[in-house]
């Protein structure tokens, strides 16, 4: 019982330390998603030119941080006409270049790790684009597209198919601060939390258990601590493999990254480990459903190569600049709740979260939430996965309306978007 209590105590302390940062990150992401329409994203991602991939990375960074939702959304964009390489760039950015990941890394590990993620992410996209250009054959791509059209539902498929952006015209501020804007932000915020909550809880519990039960001596041996060159070469190679085996993705793998860093994995190994949330075994199985076994193996090989390469570049670039922090300074949060700035920030942001969740509840959000986990991306007008009915190609088919209303929109009846 003491061992279990110790593990839960560490997990609880980590949770308390990052709560306000998670709420802030998801609120910012919800604001962006409330004003950027999915149809616009598809239109902008039609090829794999450098400018398009840069745009894909920017749009992905403003999108969901849930790995499952990112994978499902990338497939949805690919089916609707986005270039496959651009869709994969969007997918990588939406899990590795998001605000909430950067804030939590800075809180738990230091700003250097945040910088490493935001430097390594674009490097990984560039490496992946080059590998796709060299090795991706038209036959394999055609087979993947045919498989993607089969409509096999995967985890978070319904969430990926939704477009909850505000449809009214006007400036960014006018759209955001309208009643529809408030409702849209609330819906995106709640759905994003629903998407990552399970992985976040699992990640915190695993990190707490490993921190409490696995001795540092094991990790120091496994990561060749005390052998600087061997550790730097081994870390980026093994980091993604640990991530694949851990089953933890999205922001949930950051607490485990803290434990691994304290245990002796190299700086580049931490970066590669965090990048590998898109290669965990459940997501590889989703790739198989979406694109077929051959494309899954291709994605496994190219993603792994890109992650390892980015890890090495980050390792030696940051090392050469003297930016790698001392592992001896690494600490795992174990204080629990104390009256400091974290507590005041948590109170303020929990109040914000409560206001958004109340709005979500009062505007029919629970019905959408029930549909989110498995609704396939079909094209039944008005009642498909795009439950809010705001994509232009669906909105035009809404009977009696030129477009569906945005969440919270006034359609002459009430604020219920359905």
């Amino acid at each position: 019982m003491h061992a279990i209590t110790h593990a839960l105590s560490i997990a609880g302390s980590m949770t308390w330390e990052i709560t306000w940062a998670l709420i802030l990150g998801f609120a910012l992401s919800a604001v962006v998603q409330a004003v950027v329409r999915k149809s616009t994203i598809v239109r902008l991602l039609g090829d794999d030119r450098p400018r398009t991939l840069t745009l894909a990375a920017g749009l992905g960074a403003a999108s969901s941080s849930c790995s499952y939702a990112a994978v499902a959304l990338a497939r949805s964009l690919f089916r609707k006409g986005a270039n496959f390489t651009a869709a994969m760039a969007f997918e990588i950015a939406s899990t590795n270049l998001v605000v909430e990941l950067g804030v939590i890394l800075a809180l738990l590990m230091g700003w250097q790790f945040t910088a490493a993620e935001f430097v390594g992410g674009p490097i990984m996209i560039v490496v992946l684009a080059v590998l796709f250009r060299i090795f991706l054959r038209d036959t394999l791509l055609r087979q993947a597209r045919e498989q993607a059209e089969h409509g096999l539902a995967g985890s978070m498929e319904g969430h990926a198919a939704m477009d909850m952006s505000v449809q009214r015209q006007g400036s960014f501020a006018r759209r955001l601060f309208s009643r529809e804007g408030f409702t849209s932000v609330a819906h995106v915020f709640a759905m994003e939390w629903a998407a990552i909550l399970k992985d976040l809880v699992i990640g915190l519990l695993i990190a707490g258990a490993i921190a409490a039960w696995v001795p540092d001596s094991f990790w120091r041996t496994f990561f060749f601590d005390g052998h600087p060159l061997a550790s730097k070469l081994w870390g980026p190679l093994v980091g993604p493999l640990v991530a694949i085996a851990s089953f933890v993705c999205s922001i949930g793998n950051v607490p485990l990254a803290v434990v691994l860093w304290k245990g002796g994995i190299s700086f580049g190994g931490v970066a590669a480990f965090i990048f590998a949330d898109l290669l965990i075994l459940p997501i590889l199985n989703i790739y198989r459903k979406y694109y077929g076994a051959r494309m899954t193996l291709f994605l496994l090989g190219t993603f792994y190569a890109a992650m390892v390469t980015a890890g090495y570049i980050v390792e030696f670039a940051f090392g050469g600049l003297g930016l790698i922090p001392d592992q001896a300074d690494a600490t795992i949060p174990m204080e629990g709740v104390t009256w400091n700035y974290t507590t005041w920030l948590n109170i303020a942001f929990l109040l914000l979260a409560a206001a958004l969740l109340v709005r979500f509840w009062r505007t029919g959000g629970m019905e959408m939430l029930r549909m989110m986990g498995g609704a396939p991306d079909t094209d039944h007008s008005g009642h498909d996965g795009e439950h809010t009915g705001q994509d232009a190609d669906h909105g035009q088919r809404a009977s009696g309306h030129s477009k569906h209303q945005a969440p919270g929109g006034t359609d002459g009846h009430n604020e219920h978007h359905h």
Side-chain angles (χ1 to χ4, degrees):
M1 283 301 297
H2 175 73
I4 293 173
T5 302
H6 187 203
L8 291 175
S9 174
I10 295 174
S13 295
M14 286 187 176
T15 302
W16 186 249
E17 191 73 20
I18 66 176
T19 295
W20 72 268
L22 281 170
I23 296 172
L24 170 63
F26 282 119
L28 292 175
S29 175
V31 166
V32 174
Q33 292 184 64
V35 296
V36 179
R37 297 164 189 159
K38 189 184 296 182
S39 56
T40 301
I41 297 175
V42 173
R43 187 177 69 251
L44 295 172
L45 304 186
D47 54 58
D48 62 350
R49 294 179 300 170
R51 179 180 179 277
T52 303
L53 296 182
T54 301
L55 191 58
L59 292 169
S63 183
S64 170
S65 63
C66 169
S67 302
Y68 291 103
V71 169
L73 180 53
R75 169 181 173 263
S76 177
L77 297 176
F78 177 52
R79 288 186 65 193
K80 292 182 178 181
N83 178 272
F84 187 71
T85 303
M88 293 300 103
F90 180 95
E91 176 183 302
I92 290 169
S94 66
T95 60
N96 293 297
L97 298 178
V98 290
V99 172
E100 51 269 37
L101 176 64
V103 174
I104 292 171
L105 282 171
L107 275 178
L108 292 182
M109 304 182 73
W111 66 267
Q112 297 93 333
F113 289 92
T114 301
E117 283 300 300
F118 283 90
V119 169
I123 291 172
M124 195 168 94
I125 291 172
V126 170
V127 173
L128 198 70
V130 172
L131 292 174
F132 278 20
R133 278 284 184 98
I134 297 173
F135 297 111
L136 182 56
R137 300 288 178 260
D138 289 341
T139 302
L140 180 58
L141 188 59
R142 185 170 61 252
Q143 291 172 351
R145 185 175 293 279
E146 291 172 356
Q147 178 73 13
E149 292 295 337
H150 288 171
L152 295 172
S155 180
M156 305 310 299
E157 185 72 14
H159 180 42
M162 295 176 185
D163 186 351
M164 292 176 278
S165 58
V166 178
Q167 293 298 295
R168 70 156 56 199
Q169 301 302 314
S171 66
F172 176 94
R174 182 180 178 186
R175 294 164 66 190
L176 178 62
F177 292 109
S178 64
R179 295 172 68 188
E180 297 99 315
F182 180 30
T183 302
S184 182
V185 169
H187 279 241
V188 175
F189 178 83
M191 303 295 256
E192 291 294 296
W193 267 102
I196 66 103
L197 190 58
K198 181 178 74 172
D199 277 290
L200 181 61
V201 171
I202 292 173
L204 287 163
L205 291 176
I206 289 176
I210 290 176
W213 302 340
V214 180
D216 286 348
S217 58
F218 169 81
W219 294 118
R220 295 193 183 284
T221 301
F222 184 71
F223 293 128
F224 297 111
D225 191 44
H227 305 276
L229 181 58
S231 177
K232 291 176 182 178
L233 294 176
W234 176 243
L237 287 173
V238 76
L241 300 180
V242 175
I244 291 172
S246 73
F247 276 68
V248 182
C249 68
S250 189
I251 294 172
N253 65 5
V254 176
L256 183 53
V258 180
V259 176
L260 296 179
W261 173 244
K262 187 175 180 293
I265 192 172
S266 69
F267 186 78
V270 171
F273 168 81
I274 294 173
F275 289 143
D277 61 342
L278 292 172
L279 287 185
I280 65 170
L281 293 175
I283 284 182
L284 288 174
N285 188 47
I286 292 174
Y287 287 146
R288 182 187 60 82
K289 292 180 181 179
Y290 284 175
Y291 308 121
R294 287 185 61 202
M295 180 58 86
T296 299
L297 292 174
F298 180 81
L299 290 176
L300 173 61
T302 52
F303 271 54
Y304 178 77
M307 291 163 186
V308 171
T309 302
Y312 280 136
I313 292 174
V314 163
E315 176 73 54
F316 292 104
F318 278 64
L321 295 172
L323 296 178
I324 297 179
D326 190 346
Q327 284 177 316
D329 296 334
T331 58
I332 295 173
M334 302 179 71
E335 291 182 349
V337 179
T338 58
W339 284 106
N340 55 18
Y341 78 95
T342 299
T343 299
W344 291 110
L345 286 171
N346 280 344
I347 291 172
F349 280 96
L350 283 169
L351 289 174
L352 171 63
L356 291 172
L357 291 175
V358 167
R359 182 69 170 184
F360 174 76
W361 179 273
R362 290 180 175 176
T363 52
M366 293 307 296
E367 184 178 353
M368 289 176 60
L369 191 59
R370 283 191 291 270
M371 293 183 64
M372 184 179 71
D377 184 17
T378 56
D379 284 328
H380 304 301
S381 60
H383 292 282
D384 59 0
E386 303 189 45
H387 190 59
T388 56
Q390 290 164 54
D391 240 1
D393 57 344
H394 291 281
Q396 296 294 341
R397 294 196 297 271
S399 59
H401 298 276
S402 61
K403 289 184 180 179
H404 284 299
Q405 295 294 332
T410 53
D411 57 20
H413 301 288
N414 53 42
E415 284 194 343
H416 195 300
H417 58 268
H418 190 230

